[in-house]
Amino acid sequence: MTLAEILASLFPQGHAVAVRDGLVTGTGPFAGGRMHVVGVDGDTPLGVDGALVLSRAVLDAVRAGDRAPILVAVDSDSQRMSRRDELLGLNECLAHLAKALLLADRSGHPTIGLIYGHSAAGAFIATALATRVLAALPGANPSVMDLPSVARVTKLPLDTLKDMAKSTPVFAPGLDNMVATGAVHVVLDPDRPLEGQIRAVIDTLPAEDVRDRLGAERGGRPVARAVAAAVIEQARLG
Amino acid sequence: MAADRAASFDPDALSWYEATARQRVLALTDPGSFREILPPTERRMSPHLPLFDLPRAFDDGIVVGSARLDGDPVLVAAQEGRFMGGAFGEVHGGKLVGLLRAALELKPRAVLILFDTGGVRLQEANAGETAIAETMRAIVDVRAAGIPVVGLIGGRAGCYGGGGLIAGTCSRLAVSEGGRISVSGPEVIETNKGAEEFDSRDRALVWRTMGGKHRRLIGGADAFCADTVAAFRAAARDLVGRAPALDLDTLEAEQARLEARIDRFGDCRDATDVWARLGVNDPESVPAMDTAAFDETVARSPEADHDAR
């Protein structure tokens, strides 16, 4: 789905969400109140300037105190790779955006990511993965690195990696693998209105971070939860 | 055993850059106080690396545990840059996430994270990336509970990729000359954008753009340490005592700080241009300054010290 189609399905009465330079901000009427939308569209890389535009919008929503849901719609490139962005502290700007979303969550705003296109690396972490749950639409393509690049780094033949990817979701790009890992909570049905589906996601938001539990249940991240639980248990013993 | 070894280190002489993760932890915290959680004897190893015919480590490249810092209880995580560049895999990430979640129950005086990482481990990329997101959420929860999370950066692998984002989530950061903080590493930028954008073989450029001195001067780090464990220990103690809250006021202040930085330096081509605009008299001399001279320069930088993190 395109962003326009998503917004039309989410806000059948119309909305005030705009895209500028690949950055998405605005609101729409939702569940008797409103919903804030921020995001990245058009496979746009996220650099220091864009991150601060989005964090500004998120902090404004928190300041408004309406406890309205915040949807983070994502079709991005990775972080913008440039000398300028790193010189200016890209790590601080992306972390700041993530912290703003996490603060919004703590302040009573349900936060939902919606990945409908590509996203990778730092941009993915600072946007979609900083929400309480991440929903996806079929065709979404989250990744850390594409397989040819993985082949270069790991020095394994591409065909071998393609074979491994079928049975080992922990490293291969793609939506199914991120679902198996627990990073993507739910895949939505593009043929049904998104309004009701997103409302159902909000009504059943887990109280805590359940991504490692999902990863264990779905088999894509078999040991992360058990390791974290063992650390907590041993820490309790003082 | 561990305590005996710790006693044999002289923190004043031990180089942070050269030390292993365990040496750093043992020399950083009170002698005999460190108790490792999931130690190597438990052999919690990556279930994935054998698929790639890669060797595993008994600790998956991260040491976690409890200790004391000047008598105060702290939780500590230290990445081992010598194992796969300190990169985040499934077990590695699970150990850090577990430690942070334990902090919510145990309420230590602080959590210390000794970064030494190239970012996500590509062989376990999805698990590593998700663990980074879980870590950031857990850090925000820990900070919101009033517990400082302090990052220490001065290892061989630097603090790259998702590690850089986690660092940006911490309450405070200490960095040494050898420490680098960045999202895209020099080789990554060069591979994707070409050597004219970033020549990764130009080491001086790397240090200027991502190194500890630049980060300290623009407020990306809160303390600059000589490369000794003793210096990092002193910085950690100081930073634990003055950690900003994680609330709307702090994030509004950080928003303003970062916007002002981009307004002021957004057209700079090189770190030396930034330093000149900060009022540094002889920007070319910054890389060669010793710690004392650099401290004086930092004291004159209006951007360096703040509570906006």
Side-chain angles (χ1 to χ4, degrees):
Chain A
M1 288 176 92
T2 65
L3 181 63
E5 290 165 348
I6 289 166
L7 294 172
S9 180
L10 192 55
F11 305 118
Q13 306 160 56
H15 60 81
V17 179
V19 184
R20 192 176 164 201
D21 299 333
L23 301 169
V24 184
T25 55
T27 62
F30 188 80
R34 63 175 172 172
M35 171 181 272
H36 303 278
V37 181
V38 298
V40 184
D41 185 44
D43 203 21
T44 303
L46 189 60
V48 293
D49 314 271
L52 293 182
V53 169
L54 298 183
S55 59
R56 174 76 273 158
V58 174
L59 292 177
D60 286 347
V62 177
R63 178 72 74 194
D66 58 8
R67 298 187 164 228
I70 300 175
L71 184 85
V72 183
V74 177
D75 170 21
S76 78
D77 197 353
S78 67
Q79 72 272 8
R80 193 161 66 203
M81 294 180 189
S82 81
R83 184 172 157 175
R84 173 180 178 269
D85 285 273
E86 294 303 341
L87 184 66
L88 294 172
L90 181 60
N91 77 302
E92 286 182 89
C93 295
L94 292 179
H96 174 69
L97 172 56
K99 283 184 287 187
L101 286 165
L102 292 163
L103 177 78
D105 183 334
R106 296 189 60 84
S107 308
H109 297 265
T111 57
I112 312 101
L114 178 62
I115 181 160
Y116 59 98
H118 177 248
S119 188
F124 188 39
I125 295 169
T127 57
L129 288 179
T131 55
R132 181 90 67 91
V133 299
L134 173 57
L137 282 161
N141 179 31
S143 69
V144 177
M145 191 179 265
D146 59 277
L147 275 191
S149 302
V150 175
R152 219 168 34 239
V153 175
T154 60
K155 299 181 174 60
L156 288 171
L158 185 56
D159 286 341
T160 308
L161 284 176
K162 281 180 178 165
D163 268 355
M164 288 170 67
K166 289 174 194 157
S167 56
T168 326
V170 76
F171 77 95
L175 178 57
D176 294 347
N177 297 318
M178 284 293 181
V179 170
T181 313
V184 171
H185 199 82
V186 61
V187 179
L188 304 178
D189 179 354
D191 296 327
R192 289 167 44 221
L194 291 179
E195 184 187 22
Q197 295 183 76
I198 293 286
R199 202 185 287 208
V201 170
I202 291 171
D203 289 344
T204 57
L205 276 186
E208 40 190 43
D209 196 336
V210 296
R211 290 175 284 197
D212 58 357
R213 179 170 63 75
L214 295 178
E217 287 169 5
R218 296 169 181 173
R221 204 154 48 115
V223 302
R225 179 165 194 254
V227 168
V231 170
I232 296 170
E233 192 179 320
Q234 289 192 16
R236 277 187 195 130
L237 298 174
Chain B
M1 266 301 282
D4 293 344
R5 278 204 309 276
S8 70
F9 297 138
D10 174 1
D12 289 320
L14 184 61
S15 159
W16 188 272
Y17 189 84
E18 298 291 339
T20 66
R22 272 190 189 74
Q23 287 172 334
R24 287 174 191 149
V25 169
L26 293 174
L28 181 77
T29 56
D30 295 356
S33 71
F34 180 66
R35 198 181 62 79
E36 185 165 352
I37 295 169
L38 296 192
T41 48
E42 297 201 16
R43 288 167 166 54
R44 292 275 185 158
M45 295 188 285
S46 163
H48 311 295
L49 291 179
L51 299 168
F52 297 87
D53 287 327
L54 286 168
R56 299 189 279 179
F58 291 155
D59 57 16
D60 207 43
I62 188 168
V63 177
V64 301
S66 60
R68 290 190 175 267
L69 187 67
D70 274 2
D72 289 330
V74 292
L75 294 177
V76 190
Q79 296 181 298
E80 179 49 74
R82 286 172 169 85
F83 178 68
M84 300 204 77
F88 283 81
E90 179 168 357
V91 173
H92 185 114
K95 287 172 79 173
L96 180 55
V97 169
L99 190 79
L100 288 158
R101 290 180 184 167
L104 283 177
E105 279 186 35
L106 300 175
K107 305 205 179 324
R109 179 68 185 88
V111 181
L112 309 177
I113 303 178
L114 286 51
F115 291 98
D116 198 351
T117 185
V120 168
R121 186 186 298 170
L122 282 179
Q123 293 82 358
E124 309 180 25
N126 299 335
E129 188 139 291
T130 312
I132 283 162
E134 289 168 333
T135 299
M136 292 170 73
R137 172 172 287 273
I139 287 175
V140 164
D141 288 344
V142 169
R143 289 186 60 186
I147 303 163
V149 180
V150 173
L152 309 176
I153 300 170
R156 289 161 182 260
C159 185
Y160 282 102
L165 268 75
I166 295 173
T169 315
C170 291
S171 317
R172 293 287 189 191
L173 294 176
V175 66
S176 65
E177 177 106 58
R180 290 135 290 148
I181 311 172
S182 165
V183 186
S184 313
E187 291 84 4
V188 174
I189 299 176
E190 183 180 296
T191 302
N192 284 279
K193 303 295 172 189
E196 59 282 0
E197 179 64 28
F198 206 116
D199 180 356
S200 66
R201 285 166 307 174
D202 185 345
R203 302 322 287 174
L205 173 66
V206 174
W207 298 123
R208 284 202 307 279
T209 311
M210 304 165 174
K213 281 181 170 165
H214 177 60
R215 293 295 178 230
R216 180 72 191 99
L217 278 170
I218 63 169
D222 309 284
F224 182 80
C225 304
D227 178 42
T228 67
V229 177
F232 272 100
R233 179 185 165 93
R237 283 169 43 195
D238 174 51
L239 294 177
V240 165
R242 51 186 185 93
L246 194 290
D247 58 20
L248 183 56
D249 287 344
T250 296
L251 290 191
E252 288 281 13
E254 183 172 55
Q255 178 80 29
R257 174 173 73 85
L258 294 173
E259 284 177 358
R261 179 193 289 171
I262 288 163
D263 282 349
R264 192 168 177 197
F265 308 116
D267 62 338
C268 291
R269 177 68 190 147
D270 193 280
T272 50
D273 302 333
V274 175
W275 303 338
R277 215 170 278 182
L278 276 169
V280 177
N281 286 334
D282 180 9
E284 305 293 336
S285 70
V286 168
M289 282 178 187
D290 62 19
T291 305
F294 183 68
D295 282 346
E296 284 177 31
T297 304
V298 167
R300 290 191 296 269
S301 167
E303 325 271 327
D305 290 308
H306 56 79
D307 291 326
R309 190 183 308 291

